[in-house]
Amino acid sequence: MNITVIGGGYVGLTTGICLSYVGHDVNIVEKDLAKLSALELGNLLIYEPGLDNLLQKSRSRITFSNKVNRNLLNGSELIVIAVGTPPKDDGDADLTFLHAAFEEVISCLDEDVQAVVAIKSTVPVGTNDMLAEKFGSMLLSHRVQFVSNPEFLREGHAVYDTLYPDRIVVGARDRDAVGLLREAYSPILQRSFVKPDFITDGIEKDLPYFIVTTPKSAELVKYASNAFLALKISYINEIALLCEKVGANVEDVALGMGTDSRIGRSFLNAGIGWGGSCFPKDTSALIRTSEKHGSELSIVRAAVKVNDNIKDYFVKNVESTLGDLQGKSVAVLGLSFKPDTDDVRDSPAMELVDRLVKKGAIVKATDPIALENARKVVPESDKVIYEEDVYKALEGVDCVLITTEWPQWSKLDFDRVGRIVRQKLIFDGRNCLDKEVLEGLGFIYKGVGR
Ligand code: UGA
């Protein structure tokens, strides 16, 4: 099948590359010229394990262009829109890029063309209907269907999530459009593609569900899923605080709860909270949608509040142990919003750096791959020092904060760490270190609810 993907960000690139890997011919449209030339040379400019490998394997079936290629577009049965929908100041999703993408696509489509336009960008409920109404009248001589096809990929696991999804959701008004989406995804639905070598885990899972809904329901599936995952984390974080008060261990509680198949073990890891480019933006946008429609959605508001409070609690915990933070030196290990990504957008770690600096601390921060992005958000100064080498970040500090659970941290030589820090004090904001081993080495260890 010939497919055009508009947008060469995380979602567009992963979708385009994976669809070409499973056998389709894909044209990816990316406006940014610097990004485009890098892509043409095989450089993705994003850190996404395995994606460059798939790009090399399917290079002959992928083309890149910096604007919609008329010929390729008119030869495409499927046009996927995967442009960004960043948050506006009021929390609502900004649809400027989406409208621009639609205008460009519609103006390039020849008459009598038959195609399906799938919106993969995360958009508020009703957007598909609104676009169908706005642009549909311009397309009376075309047979173009608009469907909603949300994505559920996680950064750092985007290839796996695209090739081995739990479900593919299609919100459509027309049976032919559903048929076309089913055909496009058929290698993934039937798992008939060659397994990439780098994927080793999780391949035995059941084949994905193919769920057909209305466009509105599909749009809401996306927000409701992300908000639910966010509130699941906030829930365990609040239970973690209760664990500290009553002397229970949140890891045991999470295991005891999560082994109930109705609850599930995933997203019950307590810590300094959720961040990234999706949960904060999507919870805000969902709250805005609920406000516009007079629906309260108090549970999502509570999840957001808990997510903020947990950082306050963590900083207060550091303060109550170390005393006034003015002039104290603090090592921050991990700056990305989670491991396996260099993305620092709305990262809880970056938020903590900010809060610590406001309290007068001197932060020595490190991360395996996110330093460059961190520098762009919080420039290096006499208050924030970035170190490539984790042991340099640890030298002479009054305490160590684990803010992202990179596997590197549990492999540190803690004998050496104990010799170079000023105080053997560790706050594990991701509950990823071995408390007993550290206490055995003479560290004071403080996790979250542990
Ligand atoms: C999330 C969803 O998981 C994807 O399904 C969705 O497609 C994506 O947003 C999106 O909307 O594009 P992502 O933001 O990449 O994916 O990251 P997650 O792995 O979901 O983690 C989000 C945050 O929750 C991170 O800060 C992570 O550290 C935190 N988290 C996660 C916890 O604090 N505890 C957990 O148990 C799990």
Side-chain angles (χ1 to χ4, degrees):
M1 183 182 290
N2 290 322
I3 299 174
T4 292
V5 176
I6 314 283
Y10 260 105
V11 175
L13 278 180
T14 310
T15 307
I17 293 171
C18 288
L19 285 175
S20 76
Y21 177 73
V22 301
H24 301 300
D25 289 309
V26 179
N27 175 233
I28 299 180
V29 182
E30 170 52 52
K31 290 244 168 284
D32 185 324
L33 284 175
K35 204 166 166 187
L36 187 75
S37 19
L39 286 172
E40 272 162 349
L41 295 172
N43 182 356
L44 295 170
L45 299 179
I46 55 169
Y47 178 83
E48 191 52 58
L51 196 57
D52 48 354
N53 177 301
L54 287 202
L55 173 60
Q56 275 171 25
K57 290 202 168 101
S58 34
R59 194 65 190 86
S60 60
R61 285 191 298 274
I62 301 189
T63 50
F64 293 105
S65 54
N66 89 311
K67 55 180 192 233
V68 168
N69 178 315
R70 238 194 155 95
N71 286 339
L72 292 177
L73 183 82
N74 283 293
S76 293
E77 291 125 290
L78 178 62
I79 300 157
V80 179
I81 310 277
V83 294
T85 52
K88 293 196 285 196
D89 288 343
D90 64 359
D92 218 346
D94 183 347
L95 302 183
T96 311
F97 298 131
L98 189 77
H99 281 272
F102 261 82
E103 266 153 31
E104 190 175 3
V105 166
I106 303 297
S107 66
C108 292
L109 278 177
D110 293 341
E111 289 202 352
D112 294 328
V113 91
Q114 181 169 2
V116 171
V117 179
I119 302 174
K120 211 166 243 311
S121 308
T122 300
V123 292
V125 183
T127 303
N128 192 304
D129 286 353
M130 179 266 288
L131 291 169
E133 199 174 308
K134 179 171 173 192
F135 294 105
S137 57
M138 296 161 65
L139 291 171
L140 291 179
S141 55
H142 306 62
R143 278 176 297 155
V144 177
Q145 286 293 330
F146 294 171
V147 306
S148 173
N149 176 217
E151 57 79 20
F152 303 103
L153 56 87
R154 293 161 298 167
E155 287 184 22
H157 302 270
V159 172
Y160 175 80
D161 289 346
T162 306
L163 293 178
Y164 296 85
D166 293 330
R167 76 296 206 194
I168 290 170
V169 175
V170 175
R173 303 173 189 80
D174 172 279
R175 198 180 292 170
D176 289 346
V178 174
L180 190 102
L181 267 285
R182 194 189 286 276
E183 193 189 328
Y185 285 116
S186 113
I188 293 173
L189 289 167
Q190 290 163 22
R191 213 164 283 161
S192 55
F193 56 86
V194 176
K195 180 185 83 60
D197 303 338
F198 58 88
I199 294 184
T200 47
D201 291 338
I203 51 171
E204 303 303 334
K205 71 192 276 196
D206 290 343
L207 292 177
Y209 289 96
F210 186 75
I211 298 169
V212 180
T213 71
T214 62
K216 276 186 180 153
S217 298
E219 287 162 343
L220 194 49
V221 166
K222 168 70 191 192
Y223 282 104
S225 301
N226 272 2
F228 184 80
L229 292 170
L231 70 90
K232 199 173 174 191
I233 302 165
S234 284
Y235 180 74
I236 200 66
N237 281 343
E238 231 176 9
I239 292 292
L241 298 190
L242 184 60
C243 283
E244 297 210 349
K245 296 253 186 311
V246 302
N249 181 343
V250 72
E251 298 208 305
D252 294 342
V253 176
L255 182 65
M257 282 171 62
T259 40
D260 180 330
S261 59
R262 293 168 304 173
I263 297 174
R265 178 68 189 86
S266 62
F267 282 69
L268 285 181
N269 297 323
I272 54 170
W274 40 269
S277 65
C278 303
F279 287 0
K281 156 177 100 71
D282 293 351
T283 45
S284 305
L286 188 58
I287 289 170
R288 278 294 293 142
T289 300
S290 72
E291 281 167 359
K292 280 187 203 163
H293 294 270
S295 165
E296 200 170 334
L297 217 63
S298 52
I299 198 160
V300 180
R301 291 173 196 276
V304 173
K305 187 161 173 259
V306 170
N307 200 44
D308 200 41
N309 289 349
I310 194 82
K311 292 177 198 71
D312 271 347
Y313 157 81
F314 194 71
V315 173
K316 277 190 192 128
N317 205 2
V318 176
E319 265 181 319
S320 64
T321 316
L322 259 189
D324 187 357
L325 293 183
Q326 190 64 43
K328 295 270 166 53
S329 160
V330 179
V332 168
L333 271 52
L335 294 166
S336 55
F337 79 97
K338 64 173 188 176
D340 289 324
T341 177
D342 61 357
D343 196 341
V344 298
R345 283 177 288 175
D346 268 319
S347 167
M350 297 300 291
E351 171 70 29
L352 281 182
V353 169
D354 186 53
R355 291 185 191 206
L356 292 166
V357 168
K358 282 191 178 127
K359 297 216 169 248
I362 295 156
V363 172
K364 293 175 76 189
T366 189
D367 188 283
I369 58 170
L371 283 182
E372 198 182 322
N373 284 339
R375 277 195 184 95
K376 289 181 203 153
V377 179
V378 178
E380 185 136 18
S381 66
D382 52 346
K383 295 279 180 214
V384 182
I385 300 144
Y386 293 110
E387 298 284 5
E388 301 281 342
D389 177 14
V390 58
Y391 290 102
K392 287 210 85 171
L394 291 162
E395 251 168 40
V397 294
D398 293 296
C399 74
V400 181
L401 267 53
I402 306 290
T403 39
T404 312
E405 68 276 34
W406 283 101
Q408 285 87 328
W409 307 152
S410 46
K411 294 182 196 131
L412 287 172
D413 173 354
F414 281 100
D415 273 326
R416 182 175 168 195
V417 175
R419 288 195 300 275
I420 60 177
V421 292
R422 190 177 302 144
Q423 296 194 57
K424 290 169 90 172
L425 177 57
I426 296 188
F427 294 89
D428 183 356
R430 293 295 182 181
N431 286 352
C432 62
L433 300 183
D434 192 324
K435 179 176 180 329
E436 281 175 18
V437 168
L438 288 168
E439 286 177 344
L441 290 170
F443 282 89
I444 297 173
Y445 172 94
K446 289 177 183 264
V448 178
R450 220 180 162 193

